[in-house]
Amino acid sequence: MRIPTLVVAVFFASILPSSEVWSQANKGAKPGPLADDNVRYTIIEGGLLSDLPSEAIWRETRQGGKTVSATLDLCYSASPLSNRKERFVVALRPEGGKLSGTGQSEPDRTPVAVSLVRKQNGTTFSLEGTITRGSKVDEVAASDLSDMSEIEFRDQLVREEEIVDAPEDFTETTPSSIGVRVGSDRLPDLVKALRALNVRVDYSSLLQTCADLRAGNQLVRLAVDPERAPALLAQLKAMPGVLTVGWTPGGYGVERAVRIAAGPWRDGKAIKMDQLAGRISAVLAVALGGTASPPQWDPTTRELTLGFKRPDAAARGLDLTELIELPILIGPDKPNGAEHLVIWIGDPQVQTVDEGGGPRLDISGGDHASDEDGAAIDIGGVLATLAKELNGQRFDPEQAAWK
């Protein structure tokens, strides 16, 4: 699913001169096909501000091979170490051999003045001059810039939309992972409402990116108990400013999952989670050759953490112990599905420690879950054992079906 057409139109409106904005607005949200190859675009990564990360879109209009106007859309970090973004869009007109214009940044409304000289160098061009933000003056020296048509630019601009409002099943999305696309001006209201809904919010999704500033909306990522997800989606859809809501991919993949019949593990509509967790823990303890710790539930997402201990076989004869943690997610195989449950297994965490009596080694570098030569966690074998003992199925990616 691609980003909604309206989002693309809003972006184009933000960088078009006012007369063209009016024209687009009167044609509706969908921008029309291009007829003028004299409009060219350049994406500039860095190089325009001396001390701040930035990304810019340069749009220019030519007549007879000469640049007669341009628009600079510059997005940049508020400070060298900040994740907060600022942005301005300034229309530039020829003035004394330069392209100049003024405006202000958003959201801080800092006055901005731009004065640049464009020089053609064969098939590329350069921009030199100054960008003034408040009292800060940046010397611009960007070279080897190449342009593209608006059609080529649109192809780079449009991004894939990750939200799926009504997935057929959870083979590509995760039942605990929710995405909410909200208008930027409504983000504070959404966050205020989320405080009372017992969800986990991805902090990075609360920070506006340059794409968010240009589109005027952003995608907020949530994690929730899969059983509560359908009701939460309905509640979020009714909130002011919410544009799209649905499931998204999460931290669990269907290649590490087992589907089982739900009947033996249901008491009416409720899942007998503690009994199922105990059974999964017992099966995996045998598969891993260890002893199980009591299962732990996350109160917000209902993710299950299973812990195991077993002798460390790599450091042979040293009486060391491997501590293994496996994150588990249990949920339906499809939205509002009742016939099957899926058990997803996340990335294992393994640490070698000394738990012997008397003096103990203080071990560094004992966390080796991701080392190819470290702890051997045979996830395939674990899944095969789980499927066998619970009469379950594995997902066949070639057939795109459970087998």
Side-chain angles (χ1 to χ4, degrees):
M1 297 175 61
R2 290 193 178 274
I3 227 171
T5 303
L6 177 59
V7 175
V8 179
V10 167
F11 171 77
F12 272 93
S14 70
I15 61 174
L16 293 175
S18 59
S19 61
E20 294 179 74
V21 173
W22 185 89
S23 176
Q24 290 287 3
N26 280 272
K27 292 178 183 177
K30 182 183 292 185
L34 287 177
D36 186 2
D37 195 45
N38 288 327
V39 177
R40 307 293 290 180
Y41 289 81
T42 301
I43 297 175
I44 307 172
E45 296 287 348
L48 295 187
L49 300 180
S50 57
D51 60 347
L52 297 178
S54 66
E55 60 178 74
I57 296 171
W58 174 265
R59 177 188 187 274
E60 62 180 55
T61 301
R62 301 174 187 169
Q63 289 181 3
K66 182 180 180 181
T67 300
V68 295
S69 66
T71 301
L72 177 63
D73 179 336
L74 181 60
C75 179
Y76 52 94
S77 299
S79 69
L81 299 179
S82 175
N83 287 323
R84 185 170 65 86
K85 301 297 183 183
E86 280 280 304
R87 176 204 179 208
F88 64 77
V89 181
V90 172
L92 306 174
R93 301 293 180 186
E95 183 179 300
K98 301 179 179 180
L99 291 164
S100 303
T102 60
Q104 63 181 17
S105 71
E106 57 177 71
D108 286 356
R109 298 184 178 277
T110 302
V112 174
V114 179
S115 180
L116 300 173
V117 176
R118 183 196 185 283
K119 296 181 179 180
Q120 189 71 33
N121 302 301
T123 59
T124 65
F125 69 96
S126 64
L127 294 174
E128 298 177 0
T130 59
I131 296 176
T132 304
R133 295 170 292 119
S135 59
K136 171 68 173 176
V137 179
D138 286 283
E139 297 290 336
V140 175
S143 58
D144 294 325
L145 304 176
S146 57
D147 58 38
M148 68 188 80
S149 69
E150 189 167 324
I151 292 176
E152 294 170 322
F153 176 64
R154 285 179 179 179
D155 288 341
Q156 294 196 27
L157 173 69
V158 177
R159 55 186 175 179
E160 293 294 328
E161 177 61 91
E162 297 183 19
I163 296 176
V164 183
D165 57 355
E168 293 184 6
D169 54 38
F170 291 123
T171 56
E172 295 186 2
T173 55
T174 303
S176 62
S177 299
I178 301 298
V180 187
R181 188 168 293 284
V182 63
S184 298
D185 59 337
R186 290 289 189 168
L187 179 63
D189 295 333
L190 174 65
V191 171
K192 182 178 180 180
L194 292 177
R195 287 189 168 98
L197 295 180
N198 190 26
V199 297
R200 181 163 296 137
V201 182
D202 180 358
Y203 171 71
S204 65
S205 73
L206 299 178
L207 307 179
Q208 283 186 312
T209 66
C210 291
D212 295 335
L213 279 173
R214 288 172 175 139
N217 60 68
Q218 65 193 86
L219 176 61
V220 178
R221 301 178 186 276
L222 313 174
V224 66
D225 179 350
E227 289 191 280
R228 294 197 298 112
L232 175 65
L233 287 171
Q235 191 170 356
L236 292 171
K237 285 180 181 179
M239 290 185 181
V242 170
L243 305 175
T244 315
V245 62
W247 282 276
T248 66
Y252 295 88
V254 72
E255 69 279 357
R256 287 188 177 185
V258 172
R259 188 175 77 162
I260 63 174
W265 305 103
R266 285 197 182 277
D267 183 5
K269 293 184 178 181
I271 302 173
K272 296 183 283 189
M273 285 293 195
D274 290 336
Q275 293 184 31
L276 181 53
R279 178 60 177 147
I280 294 171
S281 181
V283 169
L284 297 189
V286 174
L288 293 169
T291 58
S293 303
Q296 302 293 321
W297 292 100
D298 186 293
T300 300
T301 65
R302 291 295 288 174
E303 288 176 283
L304 173 65
T305 300
L306 297 181
F308 305 92
K309 292 183 181 181
R310 70 181 184 186
D312 184 296
R316 188 177 306 169
L318 301 184
D319 295 326
L320 301 179
T321 301
E322 280 185 340
L323 304 181
I324 302 171
E325 282 193 354
L326 282 177
I328 305 286
L329 181 67
I330 301 172
D333 66 333
K334 60 185 65 177
N336 298 308
E339 294 185 5
H340 296 93
L341 294 172
V342 177
I343 303 166
W344 286 269
I345 297 181
D347 294 329
Q349 297 296 317
V350 185
Q351 185 177 17
T352 296
V353 299
D354 185 357
E355 292 193 332
R360 299 179 180 180
L361 291 174
D362 186 352
I363 299 175
S364 64
D367 186 348
H368 46 256
S370 60
D371 293 347
E372 293 183 2
D373 299 323
I377 302 296
D378 181 7
I379 292 295
V382 166
L383 290 166
T385 301
L386 195 61
K388 178 181 178 181
E389 296 299 323
L390 296 183
N391 297 316
Q393 300 169 302
R394 299 283 305 280
F395 190 77
D396 183 350
E398 294 184 359
Q399 300 297 322
W402 295 96
K403 64 176 181 179

